[in-house]
Amino acid sequence: MKKRTYLDRVLQVEKASFTPLVLSATGGAAPEAERLFKRVASQIAMKKQERYSDVIAHLRIWLRFTLLRATLMWCVAIVTKQVRKMSVWRTFHSTLF
């Protein structure tokens, strides 16, 4: 339902298409995401005169590292936020006692 609503808006307002990139934590991808990867890989392979298998492997590796980097950045942000809260609490606590 949500996808259809968003797709309708994108088609009407932006004159474009919409493909949600749905991935699982175990490495799987939704059928639409797989079709997207295959299409992008075939376009790149044709344009750069490279083997499709090499291009799709490179895309999958790139995606994995990009997701890993985003996850690590999120973890660092959470830890940094918690450390700041702890230091503020220590400062506040030391002034009271």
Side-chain angles (χ1 to χ4, degrees), residues 25-43:
T26 58
E32 288 178 335
E34 279 297 324
R35 282 194 299 273
L36 175 70
F37 293 142
K38 289 178 182 179
R39 175 151 170 102
V40 169
S42 67
Q43 295 287 326

Side-chain angles (χ1 to χ4, degrees), residues 83-94:
V83 168
R84 285 183 187 152
K85 283 183 181 178
M86 288 172 41
S87 65
V88 168
W89 171 250
R90 284 188 196 131
T91 304
F92 178 71
H93 185 43
S94 65

